[in-house]
Amino acid sequence: MATKTQELKLDIERIGTVSAILTQPENARACYVLAHGAGADMRHAFMDKVAEGLAERGIATLRFNFPYMEKKQGRPDQPAVAHAAIRAAVAEAARLCPGVTLVAGGKSFGGRMTSQAQSKAPLPGVKGLAFLGFPLHADSKPSAERAEHLAGIAIPMLFLQGTRDKLADLGILKPVVEGLGPKATLHEVEGGDHSFAVLKKSGRSNEEALTEVLDALTTWIDGLA
């Protein structure tokens, strides 16, 4: 399947311009607006692998940098700034990939900021939110406070979570997802950490674990259509 990659500039109203990358396979049937985590930008190896893997499955991705990452500042943006960046990315994805199923979300911080943006005002055209490791709480500090806004989201949500994720105690996350009703789906990646890496003794590789993640994500996206 032929894939086109475009380097873009994304204009965020009243904030500035950030870099973005559209990875678009021929005849893509969906586009995933993929926001990065707090500590690594859109070009991180994990982001590359997700974009490449989804392209092989016929799904486009639009990656982008949050303003703080574009400026190489250490501290993540305030939520309002992050939300504005996500809205700009969603609008650009809709413009560049018309007529396909539009999904938003991302890795850790990026997924959480996307869910916050959706809870405040629906992201135009977005049919579902997919979280690649939802950061439910700080490292090894179980809490459900970061999930309170999820009840205000009406569209389907997919939580892809490693069972060793120290930022999402499954004993807390499972009841949260169950409480959201049929709109929310939890897919557990056995032995995976916050980035779905697995231990050697698990008997499988990180690549195999990521394949599981991408297959589950693709199946869920196709179900939205």
Side-chain angles (χ1 to χ4, degrees):
M1 187 181 299
T3 298
K4 179 174 65 175
T5 300
Q6 289 179 257
E7 297 271 349
L8 308 168
K9 289 294 182 182
L10 200 61
D11 291 319
I12 307 169
E13 190 175 359
R14 295 192 298 274
I15 293 171
T17 302
V18 297
S19 302
I21 302 172
L22 176 67
T23 304
Q24 188 176 25
E26 194 174 11
N27 299 321
R29 63 188 183 278
C31 182
Y32 181 32
V33 180
L34 174 59
H36 64 73
D41 70 6
M42 66 174 182
R43 298 182 190 276
H44 186 267
F46 178 87
M47 302 289 283
D48 284 340
K49 288 175 183 176
V50 170
E52 290 166 5
L54 289 177
E56 291 169 1
R57 292 162 173 80
I59 296 172
T61 55
L62 181 70
R63 290 176 274 165
F64 62 96
N65 280 337
F66 286 111
Y68 79 96
M69 192 60 78
E70 186 78 5
K71 297 172 185 174
K72 294 182 170 54
Q73 296 172 339
R75 191 185 185 96
D77 297 311
Q78 292 295 314
V81 174
H83 300 167
I86 290 161
R87 291 187 185 282
V90 166
E92 187 71 351
R95 185 181 74 82
L96 295 171
C97 301
V100 307
T101 302
L102 191 60
V103 177
K107 179 80 179 78
S108 194
F109 168 83
R112 184 164 74 98
M113 290 298 106
T114 303
S115 67
Q116 287 182 0
Q118 176 71 27
S119 72
K120 290 182 176 297
L123 296 163
V126 170
K127 302 300 184 188
L129 303 181
F131 310 119
L132 305 177
F134 189 87
L136 185 62
H137 49 73
D139 191 348
S140 302
K141 295 182 179 178
S143 165
E145 288 180 12
R146 290 182 180 177
E148 290 174 357
H149 67 283
L150 297 175
I153 295 174
I155 60 176
M157 290 173 276
L158 173 65
F159 295 80
L160 292 148
Q161 303 287 155
T163 59
R164 292 191 303 118
D165 190 343
K166 293 183 178 180
L167 276 67
D169 185 315
L170 287 176
I172 298 175
L173 183 62
K174 282 182 181 179
V176 165
V177 173
E178 288 168 3
L180 294 170
K183 66 185 177 183
T185 302
L186 172 63
H187 180 95
E188 297 177 33
V189 180
E190 184 60 40
D193 66 8
H194 191 55
S195 295
F196 309 111
V198 293
L199 299 173
K200 287 185 178 180
K201 66 181 181 182
S202 70
R204 62 174 176 165
S205 66
N206 292 342
E207 288 71 24
E208 288 170 329
L210 185 58
T211 293
E212 177 188 338
V213 169
L214 297 178
D215 285 346
L217 176 55
T218 300
T219 298
W220 178 82
I221 289 174
D222 287 342
L224 296 176

